[in-house]
């Protein structure tokens, strides 16, 4: 009777644990115009390391001379993010739910030829543009995507966007430069110093989770970036109208006298769009559907198989060697007394095959663990 009561208590306790179980980072976050106990208005935007398909070296965000945040805490990175070398940091971009921003200045960077440090930073920035280094921003555990039409007339949404584009003197235009006809001058560097963010959210009016909110709320389902290269006329009062501003072209020759007066103004704009046709659970579909099928990395697969076979062979050789020695000794025993003596691998058979004293609780734990992971 006591064992049955204890088993029932264990099952009841495990059921309560399962009811509150969810994977970290996968729980939906509710946003609203004003902060509430289960809803917040500020939408944090984090920046990650920059990488390139033309280079094997990734760089942290502060390695480039972009606008930096003066204060702020970085999110805790999990083991997978640390292993893959991700470096998530806070950003100076401020987003609030359902608050559109027409044009907002972040900072101004000025480069002069007489300043060796600034000249070095400018050369490094141009090198990053030439190697097509990519930004990786994160909003609500979702990558900020850049959707464009490729040279083969296919729609593609990349989980990142370039810092600029370089149009060589000869050859085909790359995807960053082909996205806009304004970037057509050969042998030129174009820097994307303006980012327009379109934040699409699912409204809370027709959802059960929205009944707990006092006002209008939503859940973010996508954040798409549109890139612009704008050469501002008035750095103190910048505008984000692409039609009235020429593109920002970086000089090819660093020894040019124009380098003494180069100023780069970084701006951004935000637009919130409501779309109730897409559920929060399906917000990754538009990225996965447009990504091309990557080539099979046969070398990596064969390398992994060789390592697995080699290590398995080593373990098998050690086991066979020890078991063969013990079996040969068992076969060479001459009398019954020697046969009753336990040695070798028989010394652990009592622990391996010993029945559990709490087998019932062990079975309950396995069943509930399977239920949590299923």
């Amino acid at each position: 009777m006591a064992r049955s009561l204890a088993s029932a208590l264990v099952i009841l306790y495990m059921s309560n644990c399962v009811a509150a179980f969810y994977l970290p980072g996968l729980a939906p976050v509710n946003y609203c115009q004003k902060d509430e106990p289960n809803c917040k208005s500020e939408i944090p935007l984090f920046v990650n390391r920059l990488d390139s398909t033309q280079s094997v070296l990734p760089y942290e965000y502060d390695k480039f001379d972009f606008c930096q945040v003066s204060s702020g805490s970085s999110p805790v990175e999990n083991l997978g993010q640390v292993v893959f070398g991700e470096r998530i940091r806070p950003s100076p971009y401020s987003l609030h739910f359902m608050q559109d921003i027409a044009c907002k200045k972040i900072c101004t960077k000025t480069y002069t030829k007489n300043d060796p440090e600034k000249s070095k930073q400018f050369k490094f920035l141009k090198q990053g543009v030439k190697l097509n280094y990519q930004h990786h921003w994160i909003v609500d555990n979702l990558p900020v995507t850049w959707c464009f039409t490729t040279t083969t007339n296919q729609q593609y949404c990349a989980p990142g966007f370039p810092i600029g584009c370089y149009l060589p003197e000869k050859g085909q235009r790359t995807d960053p430069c082909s996205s806009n006809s304004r970037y057509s001058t050969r042998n030129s560097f174009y820097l994307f110093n303006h980012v327009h963010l379109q934040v699409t959210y699912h409204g809370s009016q027709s959802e059960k989770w929205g009944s707990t909110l006092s006002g209008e709320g939503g859940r973010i389902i996508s954040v798409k970036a549109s890139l612009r290269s704008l050469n501002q006329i008035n750095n103190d009062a910048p505008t984000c109208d692409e039609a009235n501003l020429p593109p920002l072209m970086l000089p090819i020759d660093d020894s040019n006298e124009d380098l003494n007066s180069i100023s780069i103004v970084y701006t951004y704009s935000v637009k919130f769009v409501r779309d109730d046709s897409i559920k929060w659970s399906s917000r990754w579909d538009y990225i996965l559907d447009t990504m091309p099928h990557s080539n099979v990395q046969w070398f990596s697969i064969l390398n992994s198989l060789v390592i697995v076979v080699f290590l398995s062979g080593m373990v098998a050789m050690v086991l066979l060697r020890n078991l063969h020695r013990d079996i040969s000794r068992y076969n060479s025993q001459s009398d019954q007394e020697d046969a009753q003596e336990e040695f070798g691998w028989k010394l652990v058979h009592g622990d391996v095959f010993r029945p559990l004293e709490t087998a019932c609780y062990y079975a309950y734990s396995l069943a509930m663990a399977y239920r949590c992971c299923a």
Side-chain angles (χ1 to χ4, degrees):
M1 182 66 181
R3 175 171 292 186
S4 300
L5 181 60
S7 302
L9 292 176
V10 170
I11 294 176
L12 181 61
Y13 173 76
M14 295 298 292
S15 300
N16 292 334
C17 294
V18 171
F21 175 81
Y22 65 86
L23 294 177
L26 296 182
V29 179
N30 300 330
Y31 294 98
C32 51
Q33 292 180 318
K34 295 182 180 180
D35 290 335
E36 298 182 13
N38 57 345
C39 181
K40 55 183 181 179
S41 62
E42 184 179 2
I43 304 175
L45 190 152
F46 299 101
V47 295
N48 203 344
R49 61 183 174 88
L50 288 82
D51 57 9
S52 172
T53 57
Q54 303 179 22
S55 175
V56 297
L57 297 177
Y59 293 100
E60 289 199 35
Y61 182 81
D62 56 2
K63 181 66 176 179
F64 291 89
D65 191 28
F66 297 132
C67 301
Q68 307 291 334
V69 62
S70 57
S71 61
S73 58
S74 301
V76 179
E77 299 176 354
N78 56 40
L79 180 60
Q81 292 173 334
V82 174
V83 170
F84 281 99
E86 297 187 4
R87 299 295 181 265
I88 303 176
R89 301 291 183 263
S91 72
Y93 298 88
S94 177
L95 280 72
H96 290 80
F97 185 71
M98 294 185 64
Q99 294 185 13
D100 296 343
I101 300 176
C103 185
K104 185 175 182 180
K105 175 184 174 182
I106 308 174
C107 68
T108 302
K109 297 292 183 178
T110 304
Y111 302 95
T112 58
K113 185 176 62 175
N114 298 328
D115 191 343
E117 183 65 24
K118 288 294 184 180
S119 179
K120 182 179 178 180
Q121 292 176 351
F122 185 75
K123 291 180 180 179
F124 187 75
L125 181 62
K126 287 176 52 179
Q127 185 68 14
V129 173
K130 188 174 183 179
L131 294 178
N132 194 23
Y133 269 85
Q134 305 280 321
H135 281 290
H136 294 282
W137 293 1
I138 302 173
V139 176
D140 192 38
N141 289 323
L142 194 69
V144 177
T145 58
W146 175 50
C147 299
F148 61 96
T149 303
T150 62
T151 54
T152 58
N153 294 327
Q154 293 181 352
Q155 186 70 16
Y156 174 59
C157 291
F161 54 92
I163 64 177
C165 73
Y166 170 69
L167 191 60
E169 189 172 357
K170 296 181 180 180
Q172 190 177 6
R173 298 171 63 186
T174 58
D175 288 333
C177 289
S178 62
S179 61
N180 196 322
S181 59
R182 287 161 47 91
Y183 317 131
S184 58
T185 304
R186 291 288 181 176
N187 197 22
S188 301
F189 290 90
Y190 294 95
L191 181 67
F192 298 139
N193 58 334
H194 177 82
V195 179
H196 174 73
L197 299 176
Q198 178 178 309
V199 183
T200 307
Y201 66 95
H202 185 95
S204 61
Q205 281 74 7
S206 59
E207 300 294 336
K208 183 183 297 184
W209 51 267
S211 60
T212 59
L213 305 179
S214 60
E216 183 179 359
R219 292 177 177 177
I220 296 177
I221 56 178
S222 70
V223 181
K224 299 180 181 180
S226 299
L227 310 178
R228 300 173 188 172
S229 178
L230 304 178
N231 190 2
Q232 298 291 340
I233 299 176
N234 187 357
N235 295 340
D236 297 330
T239 61
C240 301
D241 188 4
E242 188 178 23
N244 298 326
L245 294 176
L248 178 61
M249 299 174 58
L250 305 181
I252 298 296
D253 188 6
D254 295 336
S255 61
N256 195 328
E257 294 296 333
D258 294 338
L259 187 59
N260 294 327
S261 59
I262 287 184
S263 295
I264 301 176
V265 180
Y266 290 93
T267 57
Y268 75 103
S269 56
V270 182
K271 177 68 175 179
F272 283 86
V273 178
R274 178 176 174 178
D275 187 358
D276 295 342
S277 62
I278 303 176
K279 297 293 184 180
W280 182 88
S281 58
S282 304
R283 61 179 187 168
W284 283 83
D285 292 352
Y286 82 100
I287 302 177
L288 301 177
D289 292 340
T290 59
M291 291 185 66
H293 298 287
S294 58
N295 296 327
V296 179
Q297 303 294 329
W298 292 110
F299 178 77
S300 300
I301 295 176
L302 292 177
N303 186 30
S304 301
L305 289 177
V306 169
I307 293 176
V308 170
V309 171
F310 177 73
L311 295 178
S312 301
M314 290 184 60
V315 174
M317 289 179 61
V318 172
L319 291 177
L320 289 176
R321 183 178 180 181
N322 293 332
L323 290 177
H324 179 72
R325 183 175 53 190
D326 292 341
I327 293 174
S328 299
R329 186 175 176 183
Y330 299 149
N331 295 333
S332 63
Q333 292 176 352
S334 58
D335 52 11
Q336 188 68 20
E337 294 181 357
D338 294 338
Q340 293 179 355
E341 182 182 358
E342 294 184 352
F343 56 87
W345 69 275
K346 284 188 176 182
L347 294 176
V348 298
H349 83 281
D351 293 332
V352 174
F353 300 103
R354 183 181 69 250
L356 296 175
E357 296 180 358
T358 58
C360 185
Y361 299 139
Y362 181 70
Y364 291 153
S365 301
L366 288 180
M368 300 311 297
Y370 175 78
R371 180 181 175 184
C372 292
C373 298

